[in-house]
Amino acid sequence: MGKILTFVIVSVLVAYLAMQWAAPRFDPESLKGARVLVTGASTGIGEQIAYHYARFGAQIIITARREKVLQQVAEKCLSLGAQKAFYIAADMASESDPDKVVDFALEKLGGLDYLVLNHIGPTPFGVWEGDVEHTRWLMKVNFFSYTQMAWRALPSLEQSKGSLVVVSSLLAKMTSPFTLPYTSTKFALNGFFGSLNHELAMKKSNVSISICTLGLIDTESAMEKVRFVKYATPP
């Protein structure tokens, strides 16, 4: 009986220690004063990410296309506890705006600890009708601007041992009808930043990359696109 009791106690202790060892470790103080740039932050996921950092007392730069909305989001960030909150309107289809946004953040904050790439361009939800020009444009917004901003920010992230966060999609893991251009951009993101993560590790870089795979989120824009979709049910 004594041996059984000892075995049970040891097993419980080992299980507890294993849980403690594997449990996520997050220190809220690590985000206090952190220098963060969030793209696509005027609404939806990007807006909520900005608020989340604000509650931890970060210094925040937000960007999107609509300046008036950005101003409102920046004001709310300050009310939630952000140490600083700046905004800059930008068009990620532009050749120069992605670099301009990163340069603005570096100037205002003196460096970056987190670069959160979240922006996307609008795209129809429906059968693809051969609009190559739109697909090319969307690739520029959803993919090439990401690579451009990441490269521009890497030296600063290297110095700060910072993090690059790429907001991707479940559609980067599986194909689906009605979303061909969008799905293509997300596959490109996962391939590029997954490979970049390996290369940075080979270089023993200080920069970490997190690729966030999101399913359907009930943002206003997402719900507007899928609200007419009817799923076939078995007879």
Side-chain angles (χ1 to χ4, degrees):
M1 185 69 180
K3 290 183 178 181
I4 295 176
L5 181 59
T6 301
F7 175 78
V8 170
I9 293 173
V10 170
S11 298
V12 171
L13 181 59
V14 169
Y16 173 78
L17 291 175
M19 290 176 60
Q20 292 298 311
W21 181 265
R25 290 177 173 82
F26 172 65
D27 178 12
E29 288 297 312
S30 67
L31 291 181
K32 193 171 185 179
R35 301 162 298 179
V36 183
L37 168 57
V38 183
T39 69
S42 62
T43 188
I45 295 168
E47 179 187 4
Q48 296 305 318
I49 289 173
Y51 294 156
H52 194 64
Y53 277 110
R55 292 185 182 97
F56 288 106
Q59 305 175 65
I60 302 170
I61 303 285
I62 56 174
T63 186
R65 289 172 298 164
R66 297 177 295 168
E67 186 169 6
K68 186 174 181 180
V69 180
L70 284 172
Q71 181 180 0
Q72 296 170 352
V73 174
E75 290 172 354
K76 185 169 180 179
C77 284
L78 290 172
S79 71
L80 290 172
Q83 291 186 7
K84 297 177 182 178
F86 300 99
Y87 62 90
I88 176 172
D91 178 3
M92 291 306 174
S94 160
E95 295 288 343
S96 59
D97 277 12
D99 285 343
K100 182 180 76 174
V101 169
V102 175
D103 291 344
F104 177 83
L106 296 176
E107 177 187 350
K108 290 294 185 181
L109 302 182
L112 280 174
D113 300 300
Y114 296 90
L115 171 59
V116 183
L117 298 173
N118 165 74
H119 59 277
I120 57 172
T123 188
F125 183 81
V127 174
W128 189 60
E129 299 289 351
D131 191 346
V132 176
E133 284 304 313
H134 170 72
T135 304
R136 183 179 290 114
W137 174 85
L138 193 67
M139 189 66 77
K140 198 171 185 179
V141 176
N142 289 14
F143 174 62
F144 287 117
S145 66
Y146 277 55
T147 66
Q148 189 175 347
M149 295 184 75
W151 181 251
R152 194 77 164 191
L154 269 176
S156 179
L157 293 173
E158 188 71 49
Q159 290 180 359
S160 66
K161 298 182 179 180
S163 298
L164 175 58
V165 181
V166 179
V167 178
S168 186
S169 168
L170 185 61
L171 291 177
K173 304 284 188 181
M174 55 184 285
T175 55
S176 170
F178 312 129
T179 60
L180 272 67
Y182 176 82
T183 297
S184 300
T185 65
K186 293 301 182 179
F187 263 90
L189 279 182
N190 277 33
F192 181 89
F193 285 100
S195 297
L196 179 60
N197 196 32
H198 286 297
E199 292 190 359
L200 292 178
M202 291 166 61
K203 296 176 182 177
K204 301 188 184 304
S205 170
N206 292 320
V207 180
S208 67
I209 296 180
S210 298
I211 302 175
C212 305
T213 301
L214 306 183
L216 180 62
I217 307 296
D218 61 345
T219 60
E220 183 178 347
S221 60
M223 291 298 101
E224 178 65 24
K225 288 181 178 179
V226 303
R227 66 192 177 100
F228 296 115
V229 174
K230 295 182 180 179
Y231 295 94
T233 56

